[in-house]
């Protein structure tokens, strides 16, 4: 039985493209493997707090105060969800050329020295190996090709963050030109759904 962790971060609720496509992926995975275990985190709705001077020791130091201990507890909880998952599905809209700050706050809690990554003589080493990630990237414009490509600080950043904790097997599903009108939006959704159908079929054929 696979365990899937689903992270959504769009601020657009039911109108969100990334949430819609993440839903498609999850439905497809459940159809392929009905006994799948699901854990869902909505970092927009739940509002993962940003780290501050009052809380940062909870993830990057020795927690002592109540605020630091609460931060460490949240970090422990989020990391436990990640450690338990075989597949992580992330809805990551492009905001200001990168990711939503709520998703960044989630990463700030799960990139934790000696727990999800370690420094070794050979350099940093990710400790969450053997997992697969599927990331839906919804974008108002076009960044996978053409002049916009140089402004894509979303995909390289997500690749770096996930790779840093050992998740190297990442599939990106793009839904681009969402801001180019209803026709472009439908085209983007259809293209993304086609890629999702292939991916789900591939995962069903080889669940490992
Ligand atoms: C705060 C904010 C910032 C955005 N910044 C960008 C951007 O830098 N580039 C872009 O192409 N689209 C940008 N957009 C548009 C979104 O990427 C687009 O609407 C996408 O569909 C959002 O995903 P969602 O529908 O899952 O929320 C931005 C939207 C918001 C709300």
């Amino acid at each position: 039985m696979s365990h899937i962790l689903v992270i959504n971060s769009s601020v657009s609720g039911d109108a969100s493209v990334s949430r819609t496509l993440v839903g498609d992926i999850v439905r497809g995975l459940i159809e392929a493997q009905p006994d799948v275990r699901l854990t869902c985190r909505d970092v927009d709705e739940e509002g993962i707090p940003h780290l501050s001077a009052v809380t940062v020791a909870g993830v990057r130091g020795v927690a002592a105060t109540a605020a630091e201990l609460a931060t460490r507890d949240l970090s422990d909880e989020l990391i436990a969800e990640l450690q338990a998952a075989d597949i992580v599905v992330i809805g990551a809209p492009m905001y200001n050329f990168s990711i939503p700050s709520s998703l960044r706050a989630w990463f700030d809690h799960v990139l934790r020295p000696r727990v999800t990554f370690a420094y070794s003589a050979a350099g940093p080493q990710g400790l969450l190996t053997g997992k697969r990630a599927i990331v839906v990237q919804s974008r108002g414009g076009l960044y996978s090709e053409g002049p916009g490509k140089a402004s894509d600080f979303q995909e390289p950043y997500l690749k770096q963050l996930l790779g840093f904790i050992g998740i190297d097997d990442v599939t990106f599903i793009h839904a681009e030109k969402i801001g180019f009108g209803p026709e472009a939006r439908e085209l983007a959704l259809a293209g993304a759904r086609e890629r999702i159908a292939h991916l789900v079929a591939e995962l069903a054929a080889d669940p490992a």
Side-chain angles (χ1 to χ4, degrees):
M1 179 177 69
S2 295
H3 192 154
I4 304 174
L5 173 62
V6 182
I7 315 272
N8 271 302
S9 62
S10 168
V11 298
S12 297
D14 291 344
S16 156
V17 170
S18 60
R19 284 176 191 275
T20 302
L21 294 172
V22 163
D24 290 346
I25 293 168
V26 172
R27 267 190 302 281
L29 292 174
I30 291 172
E31 267 169 38
Q33 206 184 338
D35 65 344
V36 86
R37 259 188 78 193
L38 210 59
T39 300
C40 298
R41 271 278 163 193
D42 191 320
V43 297
D44 170 63
E45 217 171 88
E46 295 169 29
I48 307 290
H50 290 290
L51 297 179
S52 72
V54 174
T55 60
V56 67
V59 285
R60 295 281 173 150
V62 179
T65 67
E68 290 165 355
L69 289 165
T71 299
R72 195 195 55 194
D73 287 350
L74 177 59
S75 169
D76 284 348
E77 190 182 336
L78 298 176
I79 289 171
E81 290 175 357
L82 204 42
Q83 285 167 332
D86 304 295
I87 302 176
V88 187
V89 182
I90 302 176
M94 179 184 274
Y95 290 167
N96 297 319
F97 308 103
S98 182
I99 61 174
S101 57
S102 58
L103 186 56
R104 167 58 196 267
W106 180 80
F107 276 111
D108 284 346
H109 281 75
V110 300
L111 267 69
R112 194 155 138 206
R114 295 172 297 283
V115 182
T116 58
F117 71 91
Y119 291 111
S120 69
Q125 189 193 356
L127 301 178
L128 299 182
T129 52
K131 302 181 190 304
R132 177 161 194 163
I134 304 168
V135 182
V136 173
Q137 299 187 121
S138 43
R139 303 150 159 197
L142 178 66
Y143 298 86
S144 61
E145 58 183 84
K149 207 168 175 171
S151 309
D152 179 6
F153 299 97
Q154 178 193 31
E155 183 162 322
Y157 186 44
L158 285 163
K159 215 179 216 169
Q160 173 68 21
L161 288 165
L162 291 166
F164 194 72
I165 52 175
I167 306 177
D168 296 315
D169 186 349
V170 186
T171 304
F172 289 98
I173 304 285
H174 296 130
E176 301 192 287
K177 295 168 81 172
I178 298 302
F180 283 44
E183 218 171 283
R185 180 191 162 98
E186 284 314 307
L187 215 60
L189 277 165
R193 284 183 166 134
E194 208 173 299
R195 288 192 294 283
I196 287 168
H198 280 120
L199 179 64
V200 168
E202 183 199 309
L203 284 168
D206 179 17

